[in-house]
Amino acid sequence: MKMVVRTLIKPAEYHDSVSLMLAARELTNFEGVHDAAVVMATQANLSILAEAGLLSEEAETSSPDDLLIAVKCESDALAIAALAKAEALLKKKTGGGEGSEYTPKTMRSALAANPGVNLAVISVAGRFAADEAWEALHHGLHVLLFSDNVSLEDEIALKTYARQHGLLLMGPGAGTAILNHVALGFANVLPEGPVGIISAAGTGLQEVSCLLARQGVGITQGIGTGGRDLRKEVGGIMMLESVKALQQDPATRVLVLVSKPPDPAVANSILSQVVQSKKPSMICFLGGDDADRTKIPHITYAHTLQECALYAARAVKPELGEVKEYLAKDATQLAHQAGELRKQLSPKQRYLRGLFSGGTLCYEAQVIWKDMRINPVYSNAPLPGGLTLADSTRSQGHTAIDLGEEEFTVGRPHPMIDNDLRIRRLLQEASDPQTALILLDVVLGYGAHPDPAGELSRAVSAARELAHKEGRELAVAASVTGTEADPQCLSRSTSVLTQAGVMVCESNAQAARLAGMIIADRG
């Protein structure tokens, strides 16, 4: 059947990314609509539309500030009707309606309505974020600055002021925090316990805290500092202040610090603070070189998020046994599993493709593959000195894609909320006869998609069927970051993925090692 693609360009029109996702989702449910997209016309989004067969000549003339509505329908009349419906949907979502819950429009009105609050969560366009953060700090509020695109100068000034006034300024780009057992942003339902986590990486905080929960260990606080906090210019202001606070907190008996490799001077400054307390402290600077650091009895350096959680859990529960023994047994089991899977792949299937929603999980996988001498690995978010993809919408050899990078989230919801982009990419990778294995991370919890396993499992089934029709097997592995108490439920999500043929691993590190073992000798 011949399809008609029509496009509507709305110059300089802005809607929040969740409204765009909901409009696109409702649009695809209309009779006669085979595919649809409602996105900002960034270059990355245009490339994705082209891959989906939704890019018209008219759409190619749009600019990044334009809103783009594209539909693929059975007839021109249906396409025109669908575009009109999309406009109506967006107007409806903007307008609210009678009986809508009162939503304050300003910081001042929010404080007037809720005078007892002591924290502000700020998620606005980056160019407005610093002003909102200043207003919150000036009102004496702690701040979780979810927004990014805040200048380094603003971040330094905001954090300096916060430190001087005894306040937290978490961010910019801080997606996760758990304060006094209240989850903020993307966060999981966790048990209370004695471990305090400070992390410059949102999914790093989620992964470690969820792995702790599976071993029956809970947390006191989970503080997200923002990804730039440990850069030389910022000096680790919030991590230092957070370490001091948790060292003084009697409920916190074990400290966990998580980050990508910090500036060396900042790392030394943080370590100087950590040694001021005798509390057991686990430090995971992913990809960092800790070999030359002074050995201090109560400080443990972990190479992966999994190791970090294992060591922290055993600091609370020594009866869990030795970490090295656990990892050695795990490696033996993975090697056997990988050997069986390799037999199902053809010699032409040589490459792994990692499609991540969590930036830290993408980074951790690359660190592990580097250690396993899986190279070269291309990425849109490579390790220092690594190879950058020429085009993030197309894989090249071994590829690790962070779909949460800004190039994919301008005018689109984050991939933890909306699986559409990852599903399209999954089918794209499945159609490549050189793809041996696709690796996914599935993140549960508040803020995330209500059923990521359900949507992704259907896409995995379609991808494997596509490969089977071409006479190939397709291996798909995944980790699930979550807990039993999460709204999506860890065991239910794992079961759904397993039924779709996904090899579900206990952690992202374990999934990355399994993927590496499967393709290690296929170079």
Side-chain angles (χ1 to χ4, degrees):
M1 181 184 296
K2 186 177 180 181
M3 293 290 166
V4 174
V5 174
R6 265 191 172 266
T7 302
L8 179 62
I9 299 172
K10 307 285 286 181
E13 183 164 322
Y14 175 80
H15 297 265
D16 68 81
S17 57
V18 173
S19 293
L20 300 183
M21 175 191 70
L22 294 175
R25 191 167 291 173
E26 291 189 41
L27 208 52
T28 53
N29 289 330
F30 290 164
E31 187 176 356
V33 176
H34 283 242
D35 202 355
V38 185
V39 296
M40 299 304 291
T42 63
Q43 188 56 50
N45 283 338
L46 293 180
S47 298
I48 293 163
L49 292 181
E51 287 287 341
L54 281 167
L55 185 64
S56 65
E57 290 185 7
E58 181 187 12
E60 292 184 78
T61 66
S62 57
S63 74
D65 289 333
D66 296 338
L67 175 64
L68 197 59
I69 307 170
V71 294
K72 185 190 292 181
C73 297
E74 297 171 5
S75 72
D76 202 43
L78 284 172
I80 292 170
L83 291 176
K85 190 66 180 177
E87 280 194 284
L89 284 170
L90 289 171
K91 285 179 182 175
K92 179 181 175 182
K93 293 183 187 304
T94 303
E98 289 187 14
S100 297
E101 185 179 350
Y102 169 67
T103 304
K105 302 296 184 187
T106 65
M107 187 79 68
R108 190 178 298 277
S109 60
L111 286 169
N114 304 277
V117 301
N118 66 353
L119 182 143
V121 179
I122 296 174
S123 178
V124 298
R127 59 184 181 275
F128 307 119
D131 288 344
E132 294 299 323
W134 275 120
E135 184 167 1
L137 291 174
H138 288 152
H139 280 95
L141 304 181
H142 301 288
V143 173
L144 177 72
L145 189 50
F146 194 88
S147 308
D148 51 18
N149 292 318
V150 174
S151 73
L152 201 55
E153 292 75 16
D154 281 335
E155 178 175 353
I156 295 167
L158 287 163
K159 287 184 170 176
T160 301
Y161 179 91
R163 177 173 59 187
Q164 292 168 346
H165 293 79
L167 297 169
L168 288 173
L169 189 292
M170 298 171 283
T176 300
I178 301 167
L179 301 179
N180 297 329
H181 312 293
V182 176
L184 304 170
F186 296 112
N188 303 88
V189 182
L190 300 164
E192 297 183 18
V195 179
I197 304 176
I198 308 159
S199 178
T203 44
L205 197 164
Q206 287 189 269
E207 177 79 347
V208 172
S209 59
C210 288
L211 293 176
L212 283 169
R214 292 182 204 178
Q215 297 175 84
V217 176
I219 71 168
T220 53
Q221 311 286 347
I223 302 173
T225 65
R228 297 189 307 206
D229 190 68
L230 275 65
R231 284 176 56 165
K232 179 180 178 181
E233 299 88 340
V234 185
I237 294 174
M238 270 307 114
M239 185 164 278
L240 280 168
E241 295 306 305
S242 301
V243 169
K244 293 175 188 173
L246 293 186
Q247 286 176 330
Q248 296 170 8
D249 174 24
T252 299
R253 293 191 281 119
V254 176
L255 264 64
V256 167
L257 278 59
V258 177
S259 173
K260 295 175 184 174
D263 172 82
V266 176
N268 289 334
S269 176
I270 290 168
L271 290 172
S272 296
Q273 181 58 46
V274 171
V275 299
Q276 299 303 311
S277 162
K278 297 300 182 186
K279 292 183 179 182
S281 301
M282 316 301 146
I283 297 178
C284 180
F285 292 154
L286 278 172
D289 183 5
D290 300 313
D292 296 332
R293 295 203 183 282
T294 304
K295 305 300 180 188
I296 300 171
H298 70 282
I299 296 179
T300 302
Y301 298 103
H303 192 59
T304 66
L305 301 170
Q306 180 195 29
E307 278 186 24
C308 188
L310 290 171
Y311 282 120
R314 279 150 182 78
V316 179
K317 293 182 167 183
E319 65 272 20
L320 289 172
E322 291 293 325
V323 171
K324 289 182 178 177
E325 287 181 15
Y326 176 91
L327 291 175
K329 183 178 178 181
D330 188 49
T332 301
Q333 292 174 342
L334 288 178
H336 175 73
Q337 188 178 4
E340 294 300 313
L341 287 165
R342 276 200 300 267
K343 298 174 185 175
Q344 302 174 26
L345 302 174
S346 77
K348 291 183 179 178
Q349 291 179 274
R350 302 166 56 199
Y351 297 125
L352 60 81
R353 304 284 162 75
L355 308 180
F356 296 91
S357 61
T360 309
L361 303 181
C362 180
Y363 197 91
E364 181 186 42
Q366 292 182 75
V367 168
I368 290 169
W369 292 334
K370 182 180 179 182
D371 290 347
M372 296 176 74
R373 302 183 186 282
I374 306 295
N375 58 64
V377 176
Y378 294 85
S379 178
N380 62 333
L383 303 180
L387 297 173
T388 303
L389 281 168
D391 179 352
S392 296
T393 64
R394 293 178 182 278
S395 292
Q396 185 177 351
H398 301 307
T399 295
I401 288 287
D402 177 5
L403 294 165
E405 277 286 298
E406 185 182 336
E407 62 187 310
F408 292 118
T409 56
V410 175
R412 276 184 176 274
H414 193 280
M416 287 186 200
I417 301 171
D418 182 9
N419 294 302
D420 179 72
L421 179 58
R422 183 148 63 159
I423 288 171
R424 292 179 188 275
R425 187 62 178 260
L426 195 154
L427 296 173
Q428 179 183 325
E429 303 298 348
S431 66
D432 182 348
Q434 295 188 99
T435 300
L437 179 139
I438 296 173
L439 180 59
L440 307 172
D441 62 339
V442 181
V443 181
L444 312 181
Y446 296 125
H449 187 279
D451 183 20
E455 279 201 347
L456 290 171
S457 65
R458 290 189 287 276
V460 167
S461 296
R464 298 186 75 216
E465 185 178 346
L466 190 159
H468 290 165
K469 286 180 179 177
E470 297 178 0
R472 290 180 281 115
E473 187 54 70
L474 179 66
V476 182
S479 63
V480 182
T481 301
T483 69
E484 283 300 292
D486 280 332
Q488 305 90 342
C489 182
L490 173 62
S491 60
R492 186 170 65 239
S493 298
T494 299
S495 176
V496 167
L497 290 165
T498 302
Q499 288 173 27
V502 178
M503 297 170 287
V504 181
C505 297
E506 291 180 2
S507 67
N508 182 66
Q510 188 188 66
R513 284 197 293 273
L514 175 63
M517 289 176 182
I518 290 172
I519 58 90
D521 61 351
R522 307 182 73 81

